[in-house]
Amino acid sequence: MSRRRGPNRGPRKSRPEAVGPLIAQVLKDLGATDGARVLEISQRWEEAVGPEVARHCSPTGLRGSVLEASVDSSVWCQQLQLQTPAILAALRATFGEAAPSELWFRVGR
């Protein structure tokens, strides 16, 4: 016996789709380009900075070309400040012209 679908129900999709790219596009469409850029950076953060840095630090905001990031301890905050040129270079390698040009770290997640 086959089940009928109601008139307001469309066909089921076979697999769920990721919403990250969709959210980034909606933010861009709404003019929230900084929000869209930080979302894109967040999605590829570990790829750009490596797993060790990503375990201790994550991007939280973007103000123009300044990326704000939260760090889990003051020791890591100091370490990452020393690594800023290398992190910025890694971000440029990953994001090209869309990469931030400055970093601002703060302790707390």
Side-chain angles (χ1 to χ4, degrees):
M1 191 172 187
S2 68
R3 291 176 51 184
R4 289 186 150 178
R5 298 191 61 87
N8 294 331
R9 295 183 188 173
R12 287 187 191 181
K13 291 190 176 192
S14 59
R15 294 184 341 201
E17 295 180 35
V19 296
L22 177 62
I23 292 172
Q25 186 59 48
V26 168
L27 289 171
K28 285 180 186 176
D29 292 347
L30 293 172
T33 54
D34 284 351
R37 283 180 59 210
V38 78
L39 179 62
E40 291 173 23
I41 292 169
S42 294
Q43 290 172 335
R44 297 181 64 194
W45 180 249
E46 185 174 341
E47 171 191 343
V49 300
E52 185 175 24
V53 171
R55 267 194 305 276
H56 298 281
C57 177
S58 60
T60 55
L62 192 64
R63 294 182 190 205
S65 64
V66 180
L67 179 65
E68 299 172 354
S70 292
V71 185
D72 63 4
S73 73
S74 59
V75 172
W76 267 98
C77 190
Q78 184 177 14
Q79 179 68 24
L80 293 175
Q81 287 172 345
L82 295 172
Q83 294 180 24
T84 294
I87 294 170
L88 288 172
L91 291 170
R92 277 192 303 277
T94 303
F95 298 104
E97 294 292 319
S101 60
E102 296 179 55
L103 290 172
W104 185 76
F105 298 106
R106 70 174 164 178
V107 177
R109 288 236 174 191

